[in-house]
Amino acid sequence: MNSLRPHAIAADHVFDGTVVREHTAVVVDGARIVDLVATSELPRTMLLRALPDDAWLAPGFIDLQVNGGGDVLFNDQPTVEGIRSIAAAHRKFGTTGLLPTLISDSAEKMRLALDAASAAASEEGGVLGVHLEGPFLSSEKPGVLLVTLAPEAVPPGFIAELVAAGIRVSLGHSMASYRQTRAAMAEGLTGFTHLFNAMRPLSSREGGPIAQALESPDAWYGLIVDGVHVDPAMLRLALRGLGHPMLVTDAMPPVGGSSANFSLHGKNITARDGYCVTDDGTLAGTVLDMAAAVRNCIRLLGVALPDALRFASAHPATFLGLEHMLGKLAPGYRADLVAFDPNDITVLATWVAGRDDHSFRPRGPLGRS
């Protein structure tokens, strides 16, 4: 349903980002939510989209780390068209907002990625900015700019300079000590890219980045919940920390695509058994989507569905400073929504800025006029 008229989307269960409401309709006018009301209280004249019995409606998923999708690798196609293809592939799995992610590359490739993300963000509501896995100093901010870096590899004051330019800084691919991580956070670093992976491990004599992340209420850490990259026991430990968990995919081109093989920096990568590996067996990203991440969070970690949904929407929105417009279903918020079957988190439909971008096959009443 793509309508310029005010219309409503009704579900048996609506998670608004804070609580679950029963038999509720989200009223949308253009790109914004204008109200949440009991379905029974809707005017008979209002256009209504009724979801199948027992379906859930929730804030759309936000993924901070999307290397590719739809057979496109952002490093290979740092263009508006490449970003569109990646975003379209992930919308099928409930992702309504994402950061196309450039894995460490040349300065010229980073410039192309910045320009493409800036243009795409102005045209595509689901593109929130860009994530550079590698230090890059610029005052240009296409929507939101997130930089992953190793604190021990940059000079004192560098992180503070990035933060002052409005750039969010995350630790990743780092062997920083606990003390170095603490100093980085004092300069304004708040994120931890795929916690546990590609960073100094937690040990008895040196806590490193992981200890600092878990004990700091100012930390926001991405978690790859695919059952492969991090053991579920370690992920459950992260959930008991003081920081804020966020589900990320670290997705590669096979997500939403048709090919299991692709190349990265001259290396052949193959998707198999739910993850990506080089020819020598080294992990190289995932074929995880956000709906699967939510499902795994529930099944592998024992997380309640509302909490898993928060990790996939409200938490990343807040980390990006977009909590005033994304991550909740409330009046004034952008109408980014996902409808799904709660039994297996199969996505039924997604809406980006009020536009129906991926719909289920009808299984029940679809509406009235």
Side-chain angles (χ1 to χ4, degrees):
M1 178 185 294
N2 292 311
S3 174
L4 296 178
R5 295 168 50 191
H7 59 279
I9 307 164
D12 286 352
H13 314 281
V14 174
F15 177 65
D16 65 9
T18 303
V19 299
V20 179
R21 301 169 179 239
E22 305 300 327
H23 305 292
T24 296
V26 178
V27 181
V28 176
D29 188 357
R32 300 287 169 180
I33 296 170
V34 296
D35 205 358
L36 277 75
V37 300
T39 305
S40 61
E41 296 178 2
L42 284 172
R44 291 292 303 173
T45 55
M46 178 166 285
L47 194 63
L48 172 66
R49 169 78 169 269
L51 298 178
D53 291 346
D54 295 324
W56 278 54
L57 189 64
F61 304 144
I62 299 171
D63 192 350
L64 306 182
Q65 192 165 5
V66 182
N67 308 303
D71 294 324
V72 173
L73 181 68
F74 189 42
N75 280 68
D76 288 345
Q77 296 187 45
T79 63
V80 172
E81 292 74 19
I83 292 172
R84 283 179 183 151
S85 296
I86 293 169
H90 285 269
R91 276 198 296 272
K92 294 184 291 186
F93 305 104
T95 298
T96 58
L98 57 79
L99 296 183
T101 301
L102 189 80
I103 302 166
S104 297
D105 212 312
S106 66
E108 175 60 22
K109 190 65 71 72
M110 286 191 282
R111 173 59 59 190
L112 291 172
L114 285 166
D115 291 344
S118 180
S122 67
E123 300 174 10
E124 295 258 341
V127 179
L128 305 179
V130 66
H131 179 174
L132 301 178
E133 279 202 78
F136 187 82
L137 179 59
S138 173
S139 59
E140 300 177 8
K141 303 181 289 298
V144 175
L145 182 60
L146 171 63
V147 170
T148 291
L149 53 74
E152 72 277 18
V154 298
F158 183 79
I159 291 171
E161 190 173 355
L162 288 174
V163 173
I167 297 169
R168 278 163 176 76
V169 182
S170 186
L171 179 149
H173 301 275
S174 169
M175 285 299 289
S177 67
Y178 174 85
R179 181 173 296 180
Q180 288 171 321
T181 306
R182 186 163 182 154
M185 292 197 72
E187 286 194 27
L189 180 147
T190 54
F192 292 79
T193 297
H194 44 53
L195 191 70
F196 298 110
N197 293 114
M199 63 180 60
R200 180 190 290 271
L202 189 68
S203 70
S204 60
R205 293 181 180 272
E206 174 52 71
I210 297 171
Q212 178 62 21
L214 298 185
E215 73 174 17
S216 173
D218 297 322
W220 300 81
Y221 34 80
L223 300 178
I224 301 175
V225 188
D226 64 352
V228 177
H229 277 71
V230 186
D231 188 88
M234 296 301 287
L235 292 171
R236 287 191 290 270
L237 175 65
L239 298 184
R240 292 195 291 271
L242 298 181
H244 308 277
M246 305 177 292
L247 298 182
V248 298
T249 63
D250 198 21
M252 288 297 187
V255 175
S258 59
S259 176
N261 296 92
F262 62 97
S263 177
L264 174 63
H265 296 327
K267 293 184 178 180
N268 181 59
I269 311 294
T270 302
R272 68 184 189 204
D273 301 324
Y275 56 96
C276 297
V277 292
T278 61
D279 289 340
D280 63 7
T282 303
L283 283 173
T286 80
V287 290
L288 186 67
D289 59 75
M290 285 297 282
V294 170
R295 180 172 61 249
N296 291 341
C297 200
I298 296 166
R299 294 180 178 178
L300 298 179
L301 309 185
V303 172
L305 177 54
D307 289 331
L309 294 173
R310 267 188 285 269
F311 300 164
S313 55
H315 283 198
T318 303
F319 171 62
L320 293 177
L322 301 175
E323 68 276 11
H324 60 289
M325 61 178 288
L326 298 176
K328 293 182 181 179
L329 304 183
Y333 276 66
R334 198 169 80 182
D336 286 9
L337 308 95
V338 57
F340 60 91
D341 183 331
N343 295 304
D344 56 6
I345 321 298
T346 296
V347 171
L348 306 175
T350 59
W351 292 261
V352 178
R355 178 181 176 183
D356 183 351
D357 274 296
H358 171 69
S359 292
F360 59 86
R361 292 181 178 180
R363 299 195 317 192
L366 293 185
R368 66 172 189 240
S369 59

